[in-house]
Amino acid sequence: MDSVLIIIYILSSVSFIIGLKMLSHPETARKGNLVSAAGMGLAIIGTMFMYQNEDGVLLQNRGWILAGLAVGGIIGWMSAKKVQMTAMPEMVSLFNGMGGACAALISIAEFNHFASTDFTFQIHEAYQNADSIDEAFLVLPVQIGIMVTVLLGLIIGSVSFAGSVVAWGKLNGRIKDKMFKGQHIVNLSLLGMILFLGALLLYNIYSQFVVSQSDIGMLGPLTIFNKIHIKLPVSVFVQFYIILLLSLAYGVLFVLPIGGADMPVVISLLNSFTGVAAACGGFLYQNNAMLTGGILVGAAGTLLTILMCKAMNRSLKNVLIGAFGGSTAVAAGGSTKEQGAFKEISLSDAAVVLGYANKVMIVPGYGLAVAQAQHACHELEKLLEERGVEVKYAIHPVAGRMPGHMNVLLAESDVPYDKLQEMEQANEEFPTTDVVLILGANDVVNPAAKSDPASPIYGMPILDVELAKNVIVNKRSMKPGYAGIENDLFFRPKTSMLFGDAKKVLQDLIAEIKSI
């Protein structure tokens, strides 16, 4: 039965790898999710009905396990079914936090099991494994190795959970960017304290499993019948739970000051944390499927974090301590120059410009998601194509609130994948474009990233929309974007502002274009 379970875990691991590969392309992403989910389902079923402990006993309490799966599955299914695309980043962040919480709970359960065990060793066995006559190491490497993994799972899982909850609150507006003087010093000090207490805890456990020659001498003549009992003291429990509380606090303080424009990077980073924490659980249980899944999530999250930082031309260190997009963004070096006046365009004029263009590029942003205007956008696209207009979409890697947000949003309205142009492709298209229609995007089209060294986003790769013949920007108001800085594009000669809710504006544009 063990060999069959190993085969099941291998098949599950392979399905995770194949599913992740399929997620790299929009056309296969949905199938990739299903393949990975099937692999996870197979691993769960195999574990429930085929896993045996050291005594050959099958897994117990299947009723409770099935009940937990049912409750969690129903909650997850209903949440995903009802969530709006605008709230998708929040849900992803919250669900990611739940994964971190599970990893931390696994570490807590395993520590309690380990610490409450009354270890009994025969003295002669200790001497057989001793490195010297002075000390007898009682299966020390195994015990310390277990505790290192438990501590890593606890710390990383707790930070991921607390940080993801804060990210969820920041994304839905319930938690504001908060930063106090010296917060980064406090954060580093807190992290240092967590690591110090972790090392101290390992040393205290180590000291319990080392028996000196004098200790053994007190037991009387050395025979195979001499035994020693080891039970960890209460102080070890106290240290462990202090580490848990400090890790939760660090997770909160770690994410709290990070600005809104950096949320895509933070979500990716926390996702990688959860993967690493889950991999620790795989080590503890010697579960290949859990280990593989955790490693894949951790590696994918890390690579995505690197790509997001590259797309913003920022280092991860700068993201974590720079407070980009927070309340201190302008104070940190935002431009305060006089911008001049902006130019507004009417619906009828915008309809004429779009209706008689040869080529139109649409740049979607968070404003499109907020207005739930993706279906109206696709309808406008089809109407323009019926008039002989070539229509494409320009997608910036960090548009929206999480990686791939705009791609998923447009896929929901059945926009063909071949119309979605990545930043490099789109920038090649702009010089031959008649009209760029910007729907709620802001920071990713701000020319200050190239022209204003005083701007916090200077050096960030952007969509070069100003190279087109005309630029129409749809916004609710002139309020700055998520990065909290003014957009130079709005005051350029080629740019016209079309104010209003994206969905209402697009519907009115469709009606106007049909009438011309």
Side-chain angles (χ1 to χ4, degrees):
M1 187 172 290
D2 286 344
S3 60
V4 176
L5 186 58
I6 291 174
I7 294 174
I8 288 176
Y9 286 159
I10 292 174
L11 291 175
S12 299
S13 301
V14 171
S15 73
F16 297 157
I17 297 171
I18 294 174
L20 183 61
K21 174 63 177 177
M22 296 173 73
L23 289 175
S24 63
H25 195 280
E27 292 183 355
T28 57
R30 188 170 296 178
K31 291 181 180 178
N33 264 326
L34 295 175
V35 169
S36 298
M40 179 58 73
L42 182 64
I44 291 173
I45 293 172
T47 301
M48 286 184 62
F49 296 99
M50 305 188 72
Y51 175 80
Q52 297 178 345
N53 63 14
E54 296 177 354
D55 298 324
V57 180
L58 291 172
L59 196 66
Q60 303 297 304
N61 299 321
R62 292 197 189 97
W64 286 105
I65 296 173
L66 288 173
L69 288 171
V71 172
I74 292 172
I75 293 174
W77 182 84
M78 291 180 65
S79 300
K81 196 74 174 176
K82 292 182 178 180
V83 69
Q84 298 292 332
M85 281 307 302
T86 51
M88 186 63 73
E90 301 162 28
M91 189 187 77
V92 170
S93 185
L94 189 60
F95 281 8
N96 178 69
M98 296 302 103
C102 289
L105 289 172
I106 286 174
S107 291
I108 293 172
E110 289 304 308
F111 174 80
N112 287 334
H113 173 72
F114 174 85
S116 62
T117 301
D118 188 353
F119 294 95
T120 301
F121 299 97
Q122 288 189 343
I123 298 303
H124 82 288
E125 292 177 354
Y127 266 105
Q128 287 175 359
N129 295 323
D131 292 333
S132 69
I133 195 66
D134 295 325
E135 290 184 330
F137 293 88
L138 307 180
V139 292
L140 180 63
V142 175
Q143 309 303 334
I144 295 299
I146 291 174
M147 285 312 304
V148 168
T149 306
V150 166
L151 275 176
L152 286 174
L154 177 79
I155 295 170
I156 299 173
S158 299
V159 170
S160 177
F161 167 66
S164 295
V165 171
V166 173
W168 166 80
K170 289 168 74 74
L171 287 168
N172 65 23
R174 300 186 184 189
I175 300 177
K176 303 299 181 184
D177 297 329
K178 295 180 181 179
M179 190 171 182
F180 54 84
K181 187 176 181 180
Q183 179 162 358
H184 295 309
I185 296 176
V186 172
N187 286 1
L188 290 174
S189 300
L190 187 58
L191 179 60
M193 191 181 302
I194 292 170
L195 296 178
F196 171 77
L197 289 176
L200 182 62
L201 177 65
L202 292 176
Y203 175 77
N204 288 337
I205 294 175
Y206 165 90
S207 63
Q208 295 296 318
F209 282 88
V210 174
V211 182
S212 68
Q213 189 176 16
S214 60
D215 291 334
I216 293 177
M218 295 174 63
L219 299 175
L222 183 63
T223 71
I224 63 172
F225 301 106
N226 289 132
K227 294 184 178 181
I228 186 167
H229 299 271
I230 296 176
K231 192 171 181 66
L232 297 181
V234 175
S235 60
V236 171
F237 285 85
V238 174
Q239 289 174 355
F240 182 83
Y241 285 101
I242 289 176
I243 292 172
L244 169 62
L245 294 176
L246 292 178
S247 298
L248 291 171
Y250 178 75
V252 172
L253 295 176
F254 163 69
V255 178
L256 203 57
I258 297 177
D262 285 327
M263 276 300 109
V265 178
V266 174
I267 291 174
S268 297
L269 183 62
L270 292 173
N271 183 255
S272 68
F273 285 178
T274 297
V276 173
C280 290
F283 273 115
L284 286 175
Y285 295 132
Q286 300 181 3
N287 188 308
N288 294 332
M290 192 174 180
L291 179 62
T292 303
I295 291 174
L296 288 174
V297 172
T302 301
L303 290 174
L304 189 56
T305 301
I306 294 171
L307 291 174
M308 292 296 102
C309 288
K310 183 179 179 182
M312 300 172 71
N313 194 36
R314 308 181 69 211
S315 67
L316 181 59
K317 176 184 175 183
N318 188 254
V319 169
L320 298 181
I321 69 174
F324 174 47
S327 57
T328 60
V330 176
S335 177
T336 58
K337 66 181 181 180
E338 184 66 31
Q339 297 285 3
F342 60 86
K343 179 175 61 179
E344 194 170 354
I345 190 173
S346 65
L347 270 169
S348 57
D349 288 344
V352 170
V353 172
L354 290 167
Y356 289 102
N358 291 317
K359 184 176 180 180
V360 172
M361 292 282 285
I362 299 175
V363 180
Y366 189 65
L368 178 74
V370 169
Q372 288 289 291
Q374 61 271 27
H375 297 288
C377 184
H378 183 41
E379 188 177 348
L380 174 65
E381 166 212 324
K382 292 189 292 184
L383 177 62
L384 291 175
E385 288 187 331
E386 289 173 2
R387 296 177 61 89
V389 181
E390 182 184 2
V391 181
K392 294 182 179 180
Y393 295 82
I395 311 295
H396 192 279
V398 295
R401 295 295 184 268
M402 73 178 203
H405 193 184
M406 294 299 105
N407 303 69
V408 175
L409 189 74
L410 295 172
E412 185 185 37
S413 60
D414 297 323
V415 172
Y417 296 122
D418 58 2
K419 290 185 178 294
L420 307 183
Q421 304 290 302
E422 295 183 3
M423 182 172 60
E424 293 79 7
Q425 296 173 299
N427 284 340
E428 294 176 0
E429 300 267 3
F430 287 128
T432 59
T433 299
D434 296 309
V435 186
V436 172
L437 177 60
I438 299 173
L439 300 171
N442 199 322
D443 305 312
V444 297
V445 295
N446 192 340
K450 291 187 173 182
S451 61
D452 186 3
S455 173
I457 65 170
Y458 183 70
M460 170 181 167
I462 61 168
L463 294 167
D464 298 326
V465 295
E466 72 273 11
L467 299 180
K469 296 177 182 177
N470 298 282
V471 179
I472 299 175
V473 180
N474 168 238
K475 279 176 60 71
R476 291 177 182 269
S477 67
M478 290 297 292
K479 183 179 179 181
Y482 213 30
I485 57 177
E486 195 67 81
N487 193 336
D488 291 352
L489 178 69
F490 302 159
F491 307 94
R492 296 290 176 93
K494 293 181 182 180
T495 304
S496 300
M497 305 300 297
L498 183 59
F499 294 111
D501 176 80
K503 186 174 183 179
K504 179 68 165 56
V505 166
L506 288 173
Q507 291 172 341
D508 291 344
L509 274 176
I510 291 169
E512 288 284 344
I513 293 173
K514 287 180 178 178
S515 65
I516 61 177

